Amino acid sequence: MASTSWTITPEQPDSAAARALWRAYYTEVSDRWYLLHEGRRTDPAELEREIAARLGAELAPPTGRLLVARYDGEPAGSAGVRLLDPATAELTRVFVHEGLRGRGGAALLVTAAEDAARALGAARILLDTRTDLVEARALYARLGYTETGPHNDDVYAGHWFRKELVS
């Protein structure tokens, strides 16, 4: 019987695996938004513009980290952290391919992102998520995040969370 496993490693945001995961993540959350609010998928030209405009440079060292999860060696998910100030990190781009959800990868990614935030010097981590991403909100609550008031003015954000990072 074959063994399956997760590995999580830092990766540059412009790597082929990171770019493919960003495309999958953005396509999914964008389509989900438009299907919910407008009954259509994302316009392909808009999708390409948004993907090209958000390359993830803020997730590169020295003030950020992008983590790529692999399942049996294949890119399967991602999570990013970036410093907002010397003591505060932001968690972003948490994503696991749909077919691999429910296998523990998201929790492993968030935990690895928290470790990366600590390594960057952060004492706390913040995030925002949309109201329709109920699975994400449940994950964050399960992992000890507390819902707070807004820490940014992102038009898509409906929920904001915080967690103190204890060594």
Side-chain angles (χ1 to χ4, degrees):
M1 178 187 260
S3 172
T4 56
S5 63
W6 289 98
T7 57
I8 299 174
T9 56
E11 192 135 351
Q12 290 298 317
D14 62 352
S15 74
R19 286 192 319 267
L21 289 163
W22 169 233
R23 175 175 289 283
Y25 167 85
Y26 192 79
T27 300
E28 181 176 327
V29 297
S30 182
D31 279 353
R32 191 166 169 169
W33 172 266
Y34 280 115
L35 285 167
L36 179 65
H37 295 283
E38 297 183 14
R40 66 173 179 88
R41 294 197 179 279
T42 311
D43 174 83
E46 178 185 2
L47 184 67
E48 293 307 318
R49 277 193 310 274
E50 289 300 314
I51 288 171
R54 300 177 187 208
L55 299 177
E58 72 280 7
L59 303 177
T63 59
R65 295 291 183 279
L66 179 67
L67 303 169
V68 169
R70 287 179 169 76
Y71 190 76
D72 276 352
E74 295 297 319
S78 64
V81 292
R82 69 181 180 124
L83 288 178
L84 299 176
D85 65 48
T88 308
E90 179 182 40
L91 176 64
T92 187
R93 293 194 189 190
V94 177
F95 171 74
V96 173
H97 278 298
E98 186 175 11
L100 294 171
R101 292 177 189 158
R103 299 179 190 203
L108 291 171
L109 273 163
V110 172
T111 300
E114 291 169 0
D115 291 343
R118 281 187 202 90
L120 292 169
R124 75 195 58 80
I125 192 164
L126 308 175
L127 66 93
D128 66 68
T129 191
R130 293 190 336 221
T131 298
D132 62 306
L133 299 178
V134 294
E135 308 91 341
R137 291 177 17 229
L139 170 71
Y140 301 132
R142 190 172 76 246
L143 295 177
Y145 286 76
T146 303
E147 194 157 357
T148 66
H151 63 265
N152 63 29
D153 59 0
D154 186 318
V155 298
Y156 296 108
H159 297 268
W160 294 264
F161 290 85
R162 174 188 179 120
K163 184 176 183 179
E164 296 301 314
L165 299 174
V166 180
S167 297

